[in-house]
Amino acid sequence: MKKTVIKNPRVNEEYQVIKHPSGLTICLYPMPGFASAYALFASKYGSVDVKFKTKDDADFVCVPEGIAHYLEHKLFENDASGEDSNDAFQLFAKTGANPNAFTSFDKTAYLFSCSQKFEENLEILLNFVQEPYFTDESVEKERGIISQEIKMYEDEPGWRVFFNGLQALYHSNPVRIDIGGTIESIAKIDKDLLYRCYKTFYNLNNMVLSIAGNFDVEKTLEICDRLLKPTPDLGLEAVFPDEPREVKQREIVQKLTCSMPLFNIFFKSPSFTGRELVRRSIICNIILETVLGKTSAFYDRLLNEGLINNCFSVGVLDGRGFFTLTADGESSDPRKVFEEIKAALKSAKQSGLARDEFENVRKKTYGETIGMLGIPSAAATAMMDAHFHGYDFFDAIEITAGLTFDEVVEILAEIDEDNSCISIIEPTGD
């Protein structure tokens, strides 16, 4: 196996990246003296991956929306014997571990945290993710469960204001579709499709095992040598449809049961890859916090005027094929907040950022980034993201430490505050 040790002299830390003979990439960050360990076994496969091909396919394959999420449900439910009594949650319960799984726009991950029996838990994780077992009956049963989940989120204001906004922001990028899909799309999913997507995306060459915390490296690699099942590289290629630069629509409104109007605001941007993705994300977060965040004059003014409350937040939504700046919260007048935000960004471009405020936010961001090194779950997740997006786990530290005021001003000038949209959930008035 090929092992690379990645060091960072600034923080005097290092981690290992191993290309295992099975095809799997393994990221290991031992943290001696810590009480717990955290492990993620993840696939570069999310809700956006609905059009793909391998070197064995004559053309691109299109699959129903929501299938990545459906597959996550099914894998966690059964072991290879198909007996519900041996599902992953129950197997982990016997060891005292805390397991979970999630599907996002661009990845699916299975994970556990534990303070004892790490090797036993790792064996459970590697075994059940590599042993799919689907029957027509179990797939149909899961369809009913996921349908109820989709219907539940259809009436959840915080969920709908977000996904409505993505539908207003994007014309065709699949990130605009709910991660779980729709009732119509999951009706097209069957056992054969699940196996097809599993064999394509759960190929070890498309996955990563990321571990941080208190664990033994040699024992971990021995388990990997014993349990990982080698898979040939399929030459997987996933593509997205062309996306126009402009937002699809400026405003989208829905009425649901809530006490106060909710809003999500999105500023459209091109997507980025590799180190530039993490650099842009850091810089844009710093811009938003400096101009609009809770230490800004803007925030104090709108709070005092009663236009926002302490639910207001700003951030960046980024991933494979998408990148957007966001602001969300509650307001009696969301449209007024939208105009105030656009005006604040325009003013910052014309008058310039306050250098001292920028430096305060940069230092705070640097401290939070360094803080990840002391949290096994944060470190393992950061290594997973770094691998899937093609940058170094320590890049965020170096970028934040060396970030200059001029770099931030340059990116601020590229933000088009008018290429934006707002999603509003209004109370039904019942």
Side-chain angles (χ1 to χ4, degrees), residues 196-258:
R196 172 69 185 272
C197 290
Y198 177 87
K199 291 175 182 177
T200 300
F201 288 98
Y202 283 72
N203 181 294
L204 292 182
N205 293 277
N206 193 53
M207 300 183 73
V208 66
L209 175 64
S210 182
I211 306 173
N214 185 8
F215 66 97
D216 186 293
V217 170
E218 295 306 317
K219 289 181 180 178
T220 295
L221 293 178
E222 287 173 6
I223 292 170
C224 290
D225 289 343
R226 178 162 45 87
L227 296 184
L228 292 176
K229 302 173 181 178
T231 51
D233 191 338
L234 298 178
L236 176 60
E237 181 183 357
V239 296
F240 301 142
D242 292 335
E243 176 64 37
R245 178 184 175 279
E246 298 78 16
V247 300
K248 184 182 180 186
Q249 62 190 89
R250 299 290 179 179
E251 179 178 301
I252 185 168
V253 181
Q254 183 179 2
K255 290 185 180 292
L256 287 172
T257 301
C258 56

Side-chain angles (χ1 to χ4, degrees), residues 281-292:
S281 182
I282 290 168
I283 291 175
C284 288
N285 267 302
I286 288 175
I287 289 170
L288 291 173
E289 286 295 336
T290 303
V291 178
L292 309 171

Side-chain angles (χ1 to χ4, degrees), residues 263 265 267 287-309 311-314 326-331 333-348 353-354 357:
F263 66 86
I265 295 165
F267 297 89
I287 289 170
L288 291 173
E289 286 295 336
T290 303
V291 178
L292 309 171
K294 293 189 176 181
T295 60
S296 68
F298 169 89
Y299 179 86
D300 284 343
R301 179 171 64 82
L302 264 63
L303 193 64
N304 290 332
E305 292 176 2
L307 275 174
I308 60 173
N309 56 27
C311 292
F312 180 77
S313 66
V314 293
T326 68
D328 62 84
E330 302 173 343
S331 177
D333 192 350
R335 295 175 182 86
K336 175 66 172 174
V337 175
F338 189 22
E339 294 305 316
E340 291 281 0
I341 288 174
K342 289 191 289 184
L345 289 170
K346 186 174 291 186
S347 175
L353 290 173
E357 292 178 12

